[in-house]
Amino acid sequence: MAKFGEGDARWIVQERADGANVHNWHWAERDCLDWSRALLSKLLAGLPVLSGEGGLTLRTTTLDKLDGEAYVNIRKGKVIPGYELSLTLAWEADATTESGVVKVTGTAEVPYLADENADEDPELRITVRGDDGPLARRAKDAFIAHGKPLVITKIRDYVAAMANGGPAKDEIDSKKISTKAAPAAGGAAVAPAPSVKVTAAPVQAPAAKEKKANGKDKEGFKTIEMTEKFNCRSKDIYEILMDDNRWKGFTQSNARISKDVGGQFSLFDGSITGVNEELQEGKLIVQKWRFGSWADGVHSTVRLVFDEPESGVTTIKLKQTDVPEEDRYFKFLCFKLLNWLISTGFGSC
C-alpha cells in the first residue's frame, strides 16, 4: 500500500480559481490517520459491557494504541478508502467476591484491520494483565462473550465511515451545497464557491540529444528497467493489459486499446496515449507511450517481455526508454496498474 503523500502530484486535486478539471481522472487524497484515531477512540473507549451481571462490572477504558496508515482517495465522486491499522484497547472489570471487590485489567488487540478485508470481521485477541487467576479468567471469558461482539460492531461502524469518505465526506457534501446560490440579506445572491481543479504537472521539454556512442541515454531522458513475478499465466496477463473493458471497469474512466500492431491505445480519458509496435500473445508487448503532460513530440518506448518458466508463474521484464528525467512517477505505472487489475478481480487468473 502506498503511503499518504507519496502519490503522483499530477493526480492530487487542488483548489483552483478557474475550476477546470484536466482529463477528469485525477485523485483527491486525504490523510485519515488522526481522524481514525479520534473516531475509534470515540467508538471504543468507555463502553459499558456488563453492569453487575454475575457479580461483574465490565467496561472498556481507553484506546491505548493505534498504528498504521489510513487515507481516502476520491475520484469522480467515487470513494476509495485505504487503511492498514493495528490497535490496542484497554478494558477493566470489577469482580465482586465475599472478601470484597477485585479489579482485573486487560487488553483487546486488533493486530490487522485493513481495507482489503473490509467485508470480514477482524481478529480480536483478548488478554489479561497481571496474574491469570480464576477471577481474571472469569473476567476474560466475560469480555470474550459480551465485549468482543460489541467491539466488532463498533469497528464495523468505522469501516462503514471510511467507505463513505471518512473526514472528506462532510467536505464533499459542503462543496456540493456551497455551489448552489443561496439568497443573502437584502435579496442578494451568494456567488457559487470555486470548484475544484486538478492539473497535470507539466513536464518541461528536455534537451533531446541523441544517444552517445557509449550507449548512454539521451541527455534529459532516462531508461527504466524492472522485473516482477506474478502468480498467473502469461497469456492471461497479456489479455489483461490488452483488454480495454477491464481497464474501464477498474479505473472508471474511458479506455480504448487496439490489439493490432500499429493500432493506437488511450487510457484514463486520453491522459496516456500510444501505439502498438510489436505484439506476441503471452510473450511480448512493445508500445510507444506518452503522458499528456509531456512536451510535444516526446514519447517513451515500453517493452514488456513475458516468461512463464512454470505453469501459473510468470516473470515480466520491463524496459522503458526515453522517459523524461522530470517524471519521477511514470516508472511505477505499468506494474502498479497490472497488480491492481489482478488483485481487484478484473484480471483473475
Side-chain angles (χ1 to χ4, degrees), residues 1-65:
M1 178 182 292
K3 294 182 178 179
F4 175 78
E6 292 185 357
D8 189 333
R10 293 166 301 185
W11 298 0
I12 307 302
V13 173
Q14 297 177 350
E15 297 289 347
R16 289 293 300 264
D18 55 13
N21 186 350
V22 177
H23 301 311
N24 199 31
W25 68 279
H26 302 268
W27 301 74
E29 186 177 73
R30 174 70 182 271
D31 186 6
C32 300
L33 185 57
D34 289 341
W35 177 88
S36 296
R37 183 176 289 107
L39 178 59
L40 285 167
S41 182
K42 179 181 178 181
L43 290 170
L44 297 173
L47 291 175
V49 180
L50 291 176
S51 301
E53 296 90 333
L56 276 177
T57 299
L58 184 60
R59 59 194 166 272
T60 64
T61 55
T62 59
L63 181 65
D64 283 355
K65 184 178 72 170

Side-chain angles (χ1 to χ4, degrees), residues 255-270:
R256 177 176 50 82
I257 303 175
S258 170
K259 296 183 179 181
D260 300 324
V261 174
Q264 299 181 349
F265 64 88
S266 172
L267 308 174
F268 294 109
D269 297 332

Side-chain angles (χ1 to χ4, degrees), residues 204-209 217-222 322-326:
Q204 300 299 323
K209 296 183 179 179
D217 293 327
K218 294 184 291 187
E219 185 177 341
F221 295 88
K222 59 189 174 185
D322 297 336
V323 179
E325 287 283 359
E326 291 86 351

Side-chain angles (χ1 to χ4, degrees), residues 70-218:
Y71 58 87
V72 168
N73 287 320
I74 300 174
R75 181 170 183 272
K76 291 188 175 180
K78 180 179 180 181
V79 175
I80 306 173
Y83 50 92
E84 288 185 358
L85 302 169
S86 64
L87 63 90
T88 301
L89 177 68
W91 58 267
E92 65 181 18
D94 293 329
T96 303
T97 67
E98 294 180 356
S99 58
V101 177
V102 177
K103 185 175 290 293
V104 178
T105 62
T107 60
E109 179 189 2
V110 178
Y112 188 67
L113 176 63
D115 59 279
E116 63 185 1
N117 300 323
D119 57 344
E120 303 174 8
D121 289 336
E123 178 186 2
L124 190 62
R125 301 172 182 171
I126 312 302
T127 59
V128 173
R129 290 171 175 162
D131 182 33
D132 190 15
L135 285 177
R137 288 194 294 273
R138 180 180 159 203
K140 177 181 177 181
D141 290 343
F143 194 92
I144 292 173
H146 302 283
K148 183 176 180 179
L150 183 59
V151 171
I152 292 296
T153 298
K154 295 300 183 180
I155 289 177
R156 288 177 191 155
D157 291 342
Y158 166 78
V159 171
M162 284 292 288
N164 287 329
K169 182 179 184 301
D170 291 341
E171 296 175 10
I172 296 170
D173 293 342
S174 65
K175 285 182 183 297
K176 291 179 180 178
I177 295 172
S178 66
T179 57
K180 298 178 180 179
V190 178
S195 56
V196 174
K197 177 185 179 181
V198 287
T199 59
V203 176
Q204 300 299 323
K209 296 183 179 179
E210 292 301 321
K211 288 189 176 182
K212 300 177 182 178
N214 59 10
K216 291 185 178 180
D217 293 327
K218 294 184 291 187

Side-chain angles (χ1 to χ4, degrees), residues 69 263 337:
E69 60 180 356
L337 288 173

